């Protein structure tokens, strides 16, 4: 049988973790299509993988609607949302399978495929809980998933459990961990430190978009209790979190951390930067569906300190492959930072273990094989 015709659908044109996963997933699907609600760096990135990219005429700026917005806020946009659904119906009819890569993309795709009569796969990169979604949104998403999808792909058991707890059908779920490639040779840490004009001494790093639930503020509070430790913070406020970004800069002033903390903005060389730090911190205060930066740090041979919420415990094997601290606890985080900076003797073995675990559990090839199999089976109508 010839390869199915697939259309990948994204609501955003920005590139955060979910879109980085998609850029890997599309690798075997050159020549197929992507449909984006808005323009942005994701469009040329997908085109460079050989996809034919279409950008909606109606979706620009919709990403600024927060995903926990009330129905009332969405009503004025109803006309534009309907217009996108019409575009999606017509595009879906030219394909065998629709693959939605985000919650917003999924909701509109679900409506479209009921008209276009095409199988739909939802790659759910979120944990569906009240922290991120209103009650109505959760009900609508789960009902649409139960009735309209062939499969719901999630990156961790934590994300699967949350979907099922909200009423999602267990037999729809496929747990497919994010895959990350082995990293290229890094520049020398000294070179990177010089380039960024970083002070001598212990250095930690945070590599996530700026958002309150990602917890960068807890790192700043912890640094105030970890004298002599400097920090680089890579990432930008990608989805309307500018007020939080401003609050972080204010905190740096208030806590007198100006000579120890550097904001780097959105970077495209995270693995390289990681190789220059003494520990990577993953400080999310709410459960994470996955946490790519954890695996990136494991592959870079750098100690990880992560909050014990969502998938982190699984990825770090309950603390065997990194350090877990309670979410939102600046004292515990400061203690963990100070401990790692003292380079305890057990650390070398932990780093070896983490590297082996990342390679054996989180390879791109494994992810591609599983997802491609799901797409093939959805296209032929075989129960997946
Ligand atoms: N990242 C990046 N540039 C930055 C900050 C982060 O490329 O300046 C990458 C990071 O390396 C990781 C991804 O963004 O691959 C974040 O993924 P994660 O699963 O940690 O969080 P998400 O954005 O999906 O919530």
């Amino acid at each position: 049988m010839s390869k199915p015709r697939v259309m990948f659908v994204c609501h955003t044109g920005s590139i955060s973790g979910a879109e980085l996963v998609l850029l890997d997933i599309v690798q075997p699907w050159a020549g197929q299509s992507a449909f984006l609600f808005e323009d942005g760096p994701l469009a040329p990135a997908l085109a460079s993988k050989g996809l034919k990219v279409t950008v909606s005429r109606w979706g620009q700026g919709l990403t600024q609607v927060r995903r926990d917005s009330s129905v009332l806020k969405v009503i004025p946009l109803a006309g534009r949302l309907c217009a996108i659904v019409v575009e999606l119906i017509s595009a879906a009819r030219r394909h065998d399978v629709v693959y939605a890569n985000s919650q917003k993309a999924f909701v509109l795709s679900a409506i479209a495929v009921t008209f276009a009569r095409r199988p739909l796969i939802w790659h759910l990169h979120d944990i569906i809980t009240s922290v991120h979604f209103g009650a109505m949104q959760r009900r609508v998403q789960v009902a649409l998933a139960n009735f309209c999808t062939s499969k719901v792909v999630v990156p961790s058991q934590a994300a699967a459990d949350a979907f099922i707890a909200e009423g999602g059908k267990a037999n729809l779920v496929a747990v497919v961990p994010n895959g990350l490639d082995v990293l290229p040779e890094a520049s020398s840490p000294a070179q990177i430190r010089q380039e960024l004009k970083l002070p001598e001494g212990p250095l930690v790093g945070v590599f996530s978009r700026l958002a309150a639930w990602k917890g960068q503020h807890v790192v700043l509070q912890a640094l105030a209790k970890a004298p002599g430790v400097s920090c680089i913070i890579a990432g930008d406020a990608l989805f309307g979190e500018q007020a939080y970004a401003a609050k972080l800069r204010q905190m740096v002033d208030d806590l007198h951390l100006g000579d120890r903390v550097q904001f780097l903005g959105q970077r495209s060389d995270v693995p390289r930067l990681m190789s220059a730090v003494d520990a990577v911190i993953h400080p999310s205060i709410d459960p994470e569906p996955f946490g790519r930066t954890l695996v990136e740090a494991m592959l870079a041979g750098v100690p990880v300190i992560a909050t014990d919420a969502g998938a982190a415990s699984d990825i770090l094997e309950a603390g065997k492959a990194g350090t877990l601290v309670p979410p939102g606890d600046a004292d515990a985080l400061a203690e963990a930072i100070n401990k790692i900076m003292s380079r305890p003797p057990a650390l070398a073995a932990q780093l070896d273990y983490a590297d082996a675990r990342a390679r054996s559990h989180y390879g791109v090839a494994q992810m591609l094989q599983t997802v491609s199999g799901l797409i093939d089976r959805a296209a032929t109508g075989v129960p997946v």
Side-chain angles (χ1 to χ4, degrees):
M1 199 199 102
S2 60
K3 249 178 138 75
R5 297 165 303 166
V6 194
M7 176 169 73
F8 297 93
V9 184
C10 282
H11 75 284
T12 180
S14 300
I15 303 180
S16 74
E19 293 73 37
L20 289 170
V21 177
L22 183 70
L23 286 166
D24 282 332
I25 282 179
V26 300
Q27 279 178 43
W29 300 99
Q32 304 293 334
S33 312
F35 182 98
L36 309 188
F37 292 4
E38 65 172 15
D39 209 351
L42 183 59
L46 286 167
S48 75
K49 304 272 175 176
L51 267 76
K52 292 173 266 181
V53 181
T54 305
V55 177
S56 166
R57 290 175 57 199
W58 306 101
Q60 204 63 35
L62 281 182
T63 44
Q64 296 311 315
V65 178
R66 290 167 58 94
R67 61 188 181 182
D68 55 358
S69 296
S70 69
V71 175
L72 288 179
K73 285 203 177 137
V74 178
I75 285 172
L77 304 170
R80 285 169 65 197
L81 295 176
C82 286
I84 297 172
V85 170
V86 170
E87 290 178 314
L88 280 170
I89 294 171
S90 140
R93 286 192 171 129
R94 297 191 294 275
H95 295 86
D96 301 310
V97 179
V98 176
Y99 192 101
N101 196 55
S102 68
Q103 173 251 353
K104 288 174 186 157
F106 160 67
V107 172
L108 299 197
S109 297
I111 301 168
V113 298
T114 54
F115 289 96
R117 298 185 163 277
R118 292 292 184 276
L120 172 64
I121 295 177
W122 179 16
H123 200 142
L124 167 56
H125 295 278
D126 295 303
I127 289 207
I128 300 192
T129 65
S130 55
V131 174
H132 299 298
F133 300 100
M136 174 68 100
Q137 274 192 327
R138 299 201 301 278
R139 270 200 295 277
V140 169
Q141 283 174 50
V142 170
L144 285 174
N146 285 344
F147 290 109
C148 304
T149 58
S150 306
K151 210 76 203 167
V152 177
V153 175
V154 291
S156 63
Q157 195 54 48
D161 293 345
F163 174 75
I164 294 163
E166 288 292 336
K169 288 184 189 164
N171 65 351
L172 285 179
V173 177
V175 179
V176 185
N178 288 187
L180 288 108
D181 265 333
V182 177
L183 306 172
E185 270 308 293
S187 319
S188 84
Q191 208 178 326
I192 297 167
R193 279 174 178 246
Q194 196 182 16
E195 179 188 310
L196 297 175
K197 301 190 175 56
L198 291 166
E200 293 290 307
L203 178 69
V204 296
V206 188
F207 303 90
S208 301
R209 62 195 158 86
L210 304 182
W213 75 276
K214 291 286 186 184
Q216 284 92 349
H217 59 284
V218 186
V219 177
L220 298 181
Q221 289 160 353
L223 285 170
K225 298 163 198 276
V229 179
S230 301
C231 179
I232 50 175
I233 299 182
D236 213 342
L238 294 181
F239 302 121
E241 302 270 3
Q242 280 77 9
Y244 180 68
K247 178 184 147 178
L248 289 176
R249 289 174 198 280
Q250 186 61 49
M251 273 183 81
V252 167
D253 287 347
D254 294 347
L255 294 169
H256 309 292
L257 295 171
D259 54 346
R260 290 202 274 141
V261 173
Q262 206 178 118
F263 291 96
L264 303 181
Q266 192 67 18
R267 301 283 302 211
S268 56
D269 56 350
V270 166
R272 186 175 155 266
L273 294 173
M274 277 184 178
S275 67
V277 303
D278 300 299
V280 168
I281 304 179
H282 192 263
S284 304
I285 55 175
D286 292 322
E288 278 275 0
F290 191 76
R292 290 170 57 86
T293 47
L294 299 177
V295 180
E296 286 163 348
M298 289 156 81
L299 289 169
V302 180
V304 188
I305 306 170
T307 45
D308 191 359
S313 175
D314 247 13
I315 296 174
L316 298 179
E317 216 182 328
K320 268 177 95 172
T323 305
L324 291 167
V325 294
D329 186 337
D331 288 321
L333 181 55
E335 198 180 313
I337 292 173
N338 287 327
K339 186 168 170 199
I340 298 279
M341 296 309 131
S342 73
R343 305 296 293 181
L347 192 58
Q350 187 183 68
L351 291 177
D352 286 346
Y353 188 82
D355 179 70
R357 180 168 173 74
R359 285 167 199 272
S360 61
H361 285 65
Y362 303 110
V364 171
Q366 270 164 276
M367 176 178 76
L368 293 187
Q369 193 183 12
T370 313
V371 171
S372 293
L374 294 175
I375 293 173
D376 285 340
R377 293 212 288 283
T380 50
V382 174
V384 285

